[in-house]
Amino acid sequence: MKPKKTHQNSVTNKMRLKTLPSCIALLCTASLSFNVSADDSEIKQFNIPAQSLQSALNQFSETADMQMSYPATLAEGVTSQGISGQYTSEQALQKLLDGSGLEPQVINNTVTIKLPKASSLTTEGLLVAAGTENYLATDATNTSSAITPVEQEDLTVSGHKLSGYNVLNASTATRTDTAIMELPQSIQVIPRSVIDDQQNITVSESLRNVSGVVARNPLISPNFEPTLMRGFSSMQMVDGFYQNLNTGDQGSLVNIQQIEVLKGANATLYSGGGGSPVGGVVNMVSKLPEKEAFYELGIKGGSYAFYQPYIDINQPINDNVLFRITTEYTNSGSHIDTLKTERYNINPSITLTDNEATNFTIQGKYSNWEQQDYQGLPATGTVTGDFKIDPKLYAGPDDMNDSTSEYYAVWATLDHQINSVWSATSKFRYAHSEHDTFVQSLVGADGFGAAVPFMAPSTWGLMNAELYQKQTEMDFQAYVTANFDLGVTQNTVVIGGDFSQQEEEGFMDVDMMGSGFVDLTNPSFPAYTFGARQNNQFTTSTTYGGYVQLQSTIYDRLHLITGFRVGHISTKFQNTDPFFGFNADSDKTRFLPNVGAVFDVTDQFSLFFNYNEGMRAQTGVNFVTAPSPELSTQMETGIKFNIADQLSGQLAFFQVDRKDVAVTDFNDPLFRSVAAGKQQSQGVETNMTWQATEGLSFLANYAFTEAKFKDSLAGVTEGNLLPGVPKHAGRFWANYAFQYPMLRGLSIGSGVYAQSSSYLGNANVNKAPSYFTMDASVAYQIKQYNFGLSIKNLTNENDFQRLNYFGNRTTPMQGTSVFFNASAKF
């Protein structure tokens, strides 16, 4: 896409070139200047295709995190060969300018691009190099080329550092660094600046900034991933690797550089692990080692005895070996009685680089979570019924055993720039997930859903239960990328393949004889006792496939993406329970396409369309019959906009269809699942970020989502809405960083999140009410010290929300809470 031009009158509004000497003097002193906000020696990943120099410099400005100002005519008619690889800003700039006749220079904090010296060019050559031939009238019949003065307006074109919330490029959608305006898919990026300005505590809080996402409730045990996107389950990833059970300290933000959210099936590139997503991908992009050493120490604290110390140490060993480690420990009480959470994670990484063409990065993670399992409260007594249950009640004995969740992994990435066209990437990961969940489950007249009492008016049955799962996974990915021009097209091709194998074992013990009864208006819970604790469910899931993806830009206006994957999923399931045991195998190979187009109506507005398909293994589910993979398709169309690299966003219309969905079989004594359901989601989403001024940032989104059952299975009426999916949801946030010298370093922000009511269960009987919550923050930075204060739920809303626990459960909102943050960076 062509760069956007903004005009600046800081030098002059009207400039007359009256004589040749004055013109030459002007051109010789003109320069392109960058105010560097980071050390020039820092190595960064640049992926800038061959294109006009003006477009290349715009993309360089964003990647290098620099500001620039240059004459509008300086780069006109000049082509850059592009770059791909890891370089310092100075190295990258030099490569971009090769062959242009322009000279870069670095002095202290300033990078300057100068015109060639007048003595090395003829007068005509100097004028052409600067592009001033467009403004100088000559007499073609006069060999002396006498110059006639002409009036020129708005000489200077300005680019600016993409501070604030505007992120214009992303790599999650295509595995290549691509302008979001050129992607025929919905993708949103949550940069670190949003996370920091809002002073978010968890990943779930950050995901409210994405339209159409219903994030997991942090109270729920991390033994599955309940985040919904466009009404359906999403896939959580770390650096492109699938987190199946998403165990451990999955809510931590300490090692996240940014969060990229890609909506839809996207099976071409993301079918490793459990297969492709349905609702979309939430990709956590990790912090990586940097060239310059720094050390950050900090602590967060606040309501409910919350405290969270953290560190971020970046220490290069030498120019070729870079090391970084982040770690965080969290201890907190809760607005729910009895609940106490303890979690921590450690994230080391090391990069080996030749600073030219090859980088090898090894990353590790260990995380642990402990808390009593929280099952929420029944619908009756909270959102319906003629009696009230104490919202703060923990349903279980006060001395309930802590449930545990653990995750550790090591993964490696090798990137190599083969030549100016080809590059290669290979990745490998070994991961281990394990959780042990203890619950004294409520049982109502409707079973484990427990929406209504087992006995009137307010008595429920109790059953001691334990769910244990252990999973090991090995993943391998490899792909090559080529960037080349062909005629009027600029092209990027990705060819690759992947292999993943998951071994899972576990059990679910339920005391079918019951553990007693409890009146939730006057509760007294019996002691918890363990069952047999014997693994009896074993699943092996193998996923592999190959893919090809072509991105093409035609005449700088039409951007096409065409890709396909031939994917295979096999699942072997064994249940050795003496009463419910059986063996089942399933294999499926499928051609999965992904096609789309973007047409730039203007430099600011584009139209896009996309169609893709997905296939996903259904692990972590206890099936009655053979566990067939789930299939999905998505169609999407809409408008993208980017005005002056300041106001950007999109409006999208979508339809997602699923089949062979795992649905609970209520005729089965253990309420296991069958792969047979059909569902559909339709809606419209819009999102926007606006960098109004240097210090004023806005973020807003809205989603209308209608997700329905398309058949009548397991007692669900066709046309019923999917539970937990609000029809309307939206977010608005504003932040202002003061620019006055006396107040520089001070910033304030405030925002609101709101959503409409949603059904608790498949039967569409009870609803969680609509609600809103307002937040505010203030922060101050002085030298290397940062201080922050945030208030969550300013108006102390106390509505009940849906908790994804056996369907019909609820949980009260956390009241007004205050948190602080203090850190020092050296």
Side-chain angles (χ1 to χ4, degrees):
M1 182 173 177
K2 293 182 179 179
K4 287 77 179 172
K5 296 182 179 181
T6 58
H7 295 288
Q8 188 182 71
N9 300 323
S10 58
V11 178
T12 180
N13 286 331
K14 294 185 179 181
M15 186 172 293
R16 296 181 179 274
L17 306 180
K18 296 183 177 180
T19 64
L20 179 59
S22 64
C23 175
I24 294 176
L26 170 67
L27 294 173
C28 290
T29 57
S31 64
L32 169 59
S33 297
F34 297 78
N35 295 323
V36 184
S37 60
D39 196 313
D40 288 336
S41 62
E42 178 184 343
I43 292 179
K44 296 185 177 182
Q45 178 69 35
F46 292 87
N47 294 291
I48 303 176
Q51 56 190 302
S52 70
L53 180 59
Q54 207 166 44
S55 297
L57 290 175
N58 264 18
Q59 196 167 338
F60 170 84
S61 171
E62 178 191 346
T63 304
D65 198 22
M66 297 178 176
Q67 295 181 347
M68 61 183 174
S69 176
Y70 60 94
T73 56
L74 183 66
E76 286 185 2
V78 182
T79 300
S80 169
Q81 65 180 3
I83 56 171
S84 180
Q86 292 200 343
Y87 305 97
T88 65
S89 297
E90 185 177 357
Q91 291 169 337
L93 186 59
Q94 179 65 64
K95 286 182 175 291
L96 284 178
L97 294 175
D98 281 352
S100 68
L102 304 175
E103 299 174 354
Q105 185 179 9
V106 179
I107 302 175
N108 296 327
N109 276 6
T110 302
V111 179
T112 304
I113 298 177
K114 294 184 176 181
L115 292 167
K117 295 180 180 178
S119 59
S120 64
L121 289 174
T122 63
T123 300
E124 180 182 358
L126 179 60
L127 296 176
V128 171
T132 55
E133 70 276 14
N134 295 329
Y135 303 102
L136 302 176
T138 62
D139 183 353
T141 62
N142 188 338
T143 58
S144 65
S145 297
I147 297 176
T148 304
V150 294
E151 187 175 271
Q152 176 184 339
E153 296 188 11
D154 297 329
L155 178 67
T156 304
V157 172
S158 290
H160 55 81
K161 171 186 171 184
L162 295 176
S163 57
Y165 305 154
N166 285 315
V167 179
L168 303 183
N169 283 49
S171 59
T172 294
T174 61
R175 295 198 192 276
T176 62
D177 190 40
T178 304
I180 293 175
M181 281 287 287
E182 298 178 5
L183 291 172
Q185 294 169 271
S186 289
I187 183 169
Q188 284 180 251
V189 179
I190 307 172
R192 190 72 207 189
S193 56
V194 170
I195 296 171
D196 291 341
D197 283 352
Q198 295 178 356
Q199 299 181 41
N200 292 334
I201 302 296
T202 64
V203 169
S204 294
E205 194 177 354
S206 299
L207 287 176
R208 285 184 168 183
N209 296 294
V210 181
S211 59
V213 171
V214 180
R216 71 180 299 151
N217 190 303
L219 292 176
I220 204 164
S221 297
N223 52 25
F224 74 112
E225 181 46 58
T227 297
L228 302 178
M229 194 181 304
R230 292 186 167 174
F232 296 141
S233 59
S234 65
M235 178 187 292
Q236 196 118 328
M237 310 186 83
V238 174
D239 298 327
F241 287 110
Y242 177 35
Q243 306 294 103
N244 183 25
L245 300 177
N246 204 17
T247 53
D249 186 7
Q250 49 75 35
S252 174
L253 291 163
V254 70
N255 199 51
I256 294 176
Q257 184 61 40
Q258 66 183 32
I259 302 173
E260 299 186 358
V261 180
L262 176 63
K263 300 175 182 178
N266 304 296
T268 302
L269 301 181
Y270 294 105
S271 285
S276 64
V278 180
V281 167
V282 179
N283 188 31
M284 312 294 178
V285 180
S286 299
K287 295 177 179 178
L288 291 176
E290 299 181 10
K291 191 72 173 179
E292 296 300 314
F294 63 82
Y295 316 94
E296 183 177 9
L297 307 174
I299 186 170
K300 298 178 182 180
S303 300
Y304 306 106
F306 173 90
Y307 63 94
Q308 186 182 74
Y310 61 92
I311 63 172
D312 184 355
I313 299 174
N314 186 81
Q315 178 59 65
I317 310 303
N318 54 44
D319 288 343
N320 303 104
V321 182
L322 313 176
F323 176 76
R324 188 171 187 175
I325 185 170
T326 65
T327 185
E328 180 181 79
Y329 172 81
T330 304
N331 194 299
S332 177
S334 173
H335 63 293
I336 304 299
D337 291 341
T338 303
L339 281 191
K340 184 174 182 180
T341 306
E342 185 177 35
R343 55 185 174 92
Y344 60 91
N345 65 94
I346 305 170
N347 311 279
S349 58
I350 187 168
T351 295
L352 310 178
T353 177
D354 63 0
N355 294 312
E356 292 183 1
T358 305
N359 297 285
F360 181 60
T361 299
I362 302 174
Q363 297 166 261
K365 185 181 188 69
Y366 179 82
S367 70
N368 187 277
W369 172 97
E370 293 184 12
Q371 176 194 289
Q372 302 92 333
D373 183 59
Y374 179 64
Q375 61 177 307
L377 298 172
T380 304
T382 56
V383 298
T384 188
D386 55 5
F387 62 89
K388 294 299 180 184
I389 300 172
D390 181 3
K392 299 183 296 181
L393 174 68
Y394 171 73
D398 291 340
D399 60 350
M400 187 71 186
N401 300 75
D402 280 351
S403 296
T404 60
S405 183
E406 179 186 55
Y407 175 82
Y408 55 84
V410 59
W411 62 101
T413 303
L414 176 64
D415 290 308
H416 178 65
Q417 186 69 39
I418 300 171
N419 53 39
S420 60
V421 175
W422 289 95
S423 62
T425 299
S426 58
K427 307 177 78 170
F428 172 82
R429 182 184 70 163
Y430 171 81
H432 173 95
S433 300
E434 187 171 356
H435 72 86
D436 201 357
T437 305
F438 310 100
V439 62
Q440 194 166 84
S441 182
L442 298 173
V443 180
D446 56 332
F448 286 104
V452 295
F454 189 82
M455 295 184 295
S458 55
T459 298
W460 274 260
L462 296 172
M463 284 188 179
N464 291 330
E466 180 180 2
L467 174 64
Y468 172 82
Q469 285 177 288
K470 179 174 68 175
Q471 184 182 91
T472 58
E473 181 177 352
M474 289 191 296
D475 302 274
F476 178 74
Q477 305 172 9
Y479 57 92
V480 294
T481 305
N483 294 288
F484 60 93
D485 292 349
L486 184 64
V488 297
T489 68
Q490 297 90 48
N491 306 280
T492 300
V493 174
V494 179
I495 305 172
D498 51 58
F499 174 88
S500 176
Q501 187 169 77
Q502 297 175 348
E503 299 280 352
E504 182 179 305
E505 60 182 83
F507 63 87
M508 183 173 67
D509 277 344
V510 180
D511 181 5
M512 301 302 294
M513 300 300 295
S515 307
F517 297 91
V518 62
D519 181 351
L520 291 184
T521 62
N522 185 26
S524 177
F525 293 91
Y528 177 86
T529 56
F530 292 96
R533 313 195 76 192
Q534 179 70 42
N535 288 347
N536 55 29
Q537 297 178 34
F538 304 87
T539 306
T540 299
S541 297
T542 303
T543 305
Y544 57 84
Y547 55 85
V548 176
Q549 175 185 270
L550 172 65
Q551 294 173 257
S552 296
T553 295
I554 304 173
Y555 287 115
D556 292 328
R557 287 290 182 191
L558 181 62
H559 313 283
L560 305 176
I561 184 168
T562 305
F564 69 88
R565 174 186 177 86
V566 178
H568 177 83
I569 291 179
S570 67
T571 304
K572 296 181 178 181
F573 181 80
Q574 181 183 22
N575 188 325
T576 61
D577 186 280
F579 298 102
F580 305 101
F582 73 96
N583 298 337
D585 296 345
S586 66
D587 288 89
K588 197 171 189 70
T589 300
R590 191 173 177 88
F591 178 85
L592 302 167
N594 179 23
V595 294
V598 178
F599 178 70
D600 299 336
V601 180
T602 69
D603 282 351
Q604 291 79 34
F605 294 91
S606 302
L607 302 176
F608 76 95
F609 170 81
N610 178 258
Y611 172 84
N612 52 49
E613 296 184 6
M615 178 172 65
R616 182 176 185 177
Q618 304 194 74
T619 61
V621 180
N622 187 13
F623 282 96
V624 177
T625 58
S628 301
E630 177 183 321
L631 304 177
S632 61
T633 61
Q634 175 179 270
M635 291 185 293
E636 181 180 21
T637 188
I639 302 171
K640 294 175 180 267
F641 58 90
N642 177 6
I643 302 173
D645 287 353
Q646 290 181 282
L647 177 63
S648 62
Q650 73 168 34
L651 173 69
F653 302 86
F654 66 87
Q655 176 174 308
V656 185
D657 289 278
R658 304 170 69 189
K659 65 179 181 178
D660 295 337
V661 181
V663 293
T664 302
D665 183 357
F666 291 102
N667 296 317
D668 179 68
L670 293 181
F671 299 101
R672 294 174 294 180
S673 299
V674 292
K678 295 181 180 179
Q679 301 170 1
Q680 184 183 83
S681 174
Q682 296 177 318
V684 57
E685 296 173 346
T686 184
N687 59 272
M688 176 274 292
T689 58
W690 182 27
Q691 192 65 33
T693 67
E694 185 176 352
L696 184 59
S697 305
F698 294 99
L699 178 152
N701 68 60
Y702 166 77
F704 170 81
T705 309
E706 189 171 71
K708 296 181 177 181
F709 291 95
K710 298 296 289 181
D711 54 18
S712 298
L713 287 177
V716 178
T717 302
E718 182 177 355
N720 276 11
L721 298 179
L722 268 63
V725 183
K727 279 194 174 183
H728 305 275
R731 170 71 156 158
F732 176 80
W733 175 265
N735 196 83
Y736 182 68
F738 288 89
Q739 302 300 303
Y740 306 107
M742 293 294 292
L743 296 176
R744 190 173 295 274
L746 177 66
S747 63
I748 56 174
S750 184
V752 60
Y753 172 82
Q755 71 173 53
S756 62
S757 61
S758 63
Y759 283 108
L760 298 183
N762 296 345
N764 286 189
V765 175
N766 300 307
K767 275 187 172 184
S770 58
Y771 73 90
F772 74 94
T773 179
M774 295 182 64
D775 306 320
S777 68
V778 59
Y780 183 64
Q781 178 180 356
I782 179 170
K783 297 183 179 179
Q784 70 267 39
Y785 301 102
N786 287 276
F787 305 94
L789 183 71
S790 63
I791 305 176
K792 317 289 186 182
N793 193 1
L794 269 168
T795 56
N796 198 32
E797 302 301 312
N798 57 4
D799 294 306
F800 282 93
Q801 301 171 277
R802 178 180 184 264
L803 189 73
N804 190 1
Y805 199 107
F806 283 119
N808 291 297
R809 305 296 178 86
T810 69
T811 183
M813 294 175 61
Q814 181 170 300
T816 301
S817 307
V818 180
F819 297 90
F820 73 87
N821 176 39
S823 66
K825 189 173 183 178
F826 305 96

